[in-house]
Amino acid sequence: MTFDEIKSKLKNHTIGIAGAGGLGSNCAVALARVGIGKLIISDFDIVSESNLNRQYFFRDQIGQKKVIALKENIKRINPEVEIITNDIKLNEKNIVEIYKDCDVIVEAFDLAEMKKILIETCLSELSEKPVIIGSGMAGWGNSNDIKFRQNENLYICGDEKSEIAVDNPPLAPRVGIVANMQANTVLEILLAK
Amino acid sequence: MRITLNNRPESFDKEKISISELLKIKNYTFKMLVIKVNSKLVKKDAYNIFEIKEGDNVTVLHLVSGG
């Protein structure tokens, strides 16, 4: 497929991004660059200085709502992408309402508790929908431990073991690998259609 | 009985076991798990009562924080 053919396929699709932190911001930017049609991005947080070691925000955006700042950054890269933002904390109820019409959902939370809520809600109420999870990416090095596998409609990206801790923080390189692996999986699903 | 656990064959010398027993036997001590049996989600409040039987396909997904 040429890039023009790829873009013309991607522009008809909608991707849900659940969380606009390290995974969500980088995955959304990658999808915008290749010409995805529409992104539905949800996050309740604001940009802080500690986010800048891995998240797609700029120093002068500290204090802004993440969804607003991310929309602005994506528009500067590709103004063609339609972006719906929800400044909201996701839960079992609103996940279904917000993401039910997406072609694929990208799980992009920080906390394992939230990852679990999203996955369980999708498995029980949106079971036909592909969900791409990021799990295990803290620290540095060990690139070969980061892998991809599919379990029915769940697609799992990450090393599935490196948990964040004070002495094992999430950092741009490994978080970026996983975020881009999630974006790459979106393409794999959409371009196979 | 024989089951498939995370794509690998496993056998146990019991006719059936609960999910809680399975997690104990396999020493899965992780806090955040998503468990599917034959493609269907089993929630945490059913781990003590849900019985895994011969031929079941069990997926235990372990979630770690970070993103």
Side-chain angles (χ1 to χ4, degrees):
Chain A
M1 254 184 275
T2 65
F3 184 46
D4 281 342
E5 289 166 338
I6 291 167
K7 275 192 294 187
S8 74
K9 270 201 159 191
L10 294 180
K11 77 170 177 6
N12 301 317
H13 292 286
T14 301
I15 305 300
I17 311 267
L23 292 173
S25 63
N26 288 293
C27 182
V29 165
L31 292 172
R33 287 190 193 277
V34 294
I36 200 75
K38 182 174 169 184
L39 294 169
I40 301 178
I41 306 169
S42 309
D43 201 303
F44 65 92
D45 206 4
I46 57 167
V47 179
S48 66
E49 188 175 2
S50 65
N51 299 150
L52 298 181
N53 69 356
R54 65 191 189 285
Q55 304 185 14
Y56 211 107
F57 299 110
F58 297 93
R59 186 155 290 275
D60 59 10
Q61 292 177 318
I62 290 171
Q64 281 184 35
K65 287 282 181 191
K66 283 186 178 177
V67 288
I68 304 297
L70 183 56
K71 182 175 180 174
E72 185 184 300
N73 296 341
I74 290 170
K75 287 287 179 190
R76 287 178 63 190
I77 295 164
N78 183 355
E80 305 270 289
V81 188
E82 185 187 344
I83 303 167
I84 308 290
T85 58
N86 300 293
D87 172 20
I88 197 171
K89 185 169 164 58
L90 292 169
N91 58 42
E92 291 88 340
K93 289 196 184 81
N94 60 25
I95 285 168
V96 178
E97 192 49 41
I98 290 170
Y99 293 116
K100 64 180 189 310
D101 297 323
C102 294
D103 296 292
V104 179
I105 300 172
V106 174
E107 177 283 308
F109 292 119
D110 184 2
L111 296 174
E113 292 90 315
M114 287 301 296
K115 293 178 187 286
K116 182 179 159 96
I117 289 172
L118 181 101
I119 296 164
E120 292 200 336
T121 302
C122 292
L123 284 175
S124 50
E125 295 182 58
L126 302 167
S127 61
E128 298 304 305
K129 219 169 276 298
V131 180
I132 306 173
I133 302 157
S135 183
M137 72 212 72
W140 59 94
N142 302 310
S143 297
N144 279 346
D145 287 353
I146 296 175
K147 54 198 189 316
F148 163 81
R149 67 185 175 99
Q150 182 181 354
N151 176 289
E152 296 170 332
N153 276 335
L154 290 181
Y155 298 76
I156 302 143
C157 301
D159 68 16
E160 297 187 57
K161 61 185 180 200
S162 302
E163 190 130 36
I164 48 166
V166 177
D167 57 359
N168 200 36
L171 298 169
R174 280 186 121 233
V175 173
I177 291 171
V178 174
N180 283 290
M181 205 177 232
Q182 290 180 297
N184 199 30
T185 306
V186 170
L187 298 195
E188 194 168 339
I189 294 167
L190 297 183
L191 298 178
K193 281 188 179 177
Chain B
M1 67 163 187
R2 282 191 272 184
I3 65 166
T4 302
L5 176 62
N6 289 341
N7 296 322
R8 280 194 281 268
E10 286 276 348
S11 46
F12 301 93
D13 42 3
K14 285 183 176 180
E15 295 279 300
K16 53 190 178 186
I17 54 172
S18 70
I19 287 178
S20 300
E21 285 174 298
L22 174 78
L23 297 178
K24 209 172 165 189
I25 295 168
K26 295 301 294 176
N27 209 12
Y28 287 158
T29 53
F30 310 117
K31 266 191 297 182
M32 284 299 148
L33 299 174
V34 171
I35 298 183
K36 291 197 298 179
V37 178
N38 301 330
S39 306
K40 290 208 76 171
L41 173 72
V42 182
K43 289 201 172 175
K44 195 171 187 172
D45 52 17
Y47 288 180
N48 283 329
I49 49 171
F50 192 99
E51 287 176 337
I52 298 167
K53 297 180 289 296
E54 172 76 27
D56 281 351
N57 182 9
V58 183
T59 301
V60 180
L61 177 63
H62 161 222
L63 301 171
V64 293
S65 283

